[in-house]
Amino acid sequence: MINYIKLSYQIKRKLSIFSKKISKNISRPKSKFIFQMIYGFLESNSTLLSNIARALKESTISLNLIIMH
């Protein structure tokens, strides 16, 4: 039987390692943004910011996106 919790943890850890490699000389907030955007792309299967915000389960981001439009 597949342990989905363990699998999701491993994928997220590998994604974290990848994002740290590509944002080596970038400030911590920008590095965190890169990680969250990549994770959002993968989780939502979309490049739309509203879908990424929903995938990240960020209500404040969703609210700000709605206000901006």
Side-chain angles (χ1 to χ4, degrees), residues 3-14 39:
N3 186 347
Y4 290 105
I5 295 171
K6 184 177 178 181
L7 180 63
S8 66
Y9 174 75
Q10 290 173 344
I11 291 170
K12 202 166 186 179
R13 188 178 69 228
K14 288 181 180 183
Y39 182 77

Side-chain angles (χ1 to χ4, degrees), residues 1-63:
M1 185 172 178
I2 297 174
N3 186 347
Y4 290 105
I5 295 171
K6 184 177 178 181
L7 180 63
S8 66
Y9 174 75
Q10 290 173 344
I11 291 170
K12 202 166 186 179
R13 188 178 69 228
K14 288 181 180 183
L15 177 62
S16 176
I17 292 168
F18 172 74
S19 70
K20 285 178 185 176
K21 284 181 182 178
I22 64 171
S23 60
K24 197 175 284 188
N25 296 321
I26 298 177
S27 67
R28 176 74 177 133
K30 291 178 184 176
S31 178
K32 186 176 176 182
F33 171 78
I34 290 170
F35 171 77
Q36 289 179 334
M37 288 301 290
I38 294 171
Y39 182 77
F41 290 146
L42 296 173
E43 181 73 23
S44 68
N45 292 323
S46 175
T47 57
L48 298 175
L49 289 177
S50 56
N51 292 344
I52 293 170
R54 282 187 208 104
L56 293 173
K57 298 171 181 68
E58 295 283 340
S59 60
T60 55
I61 293 174
S62 298
L63 179 62

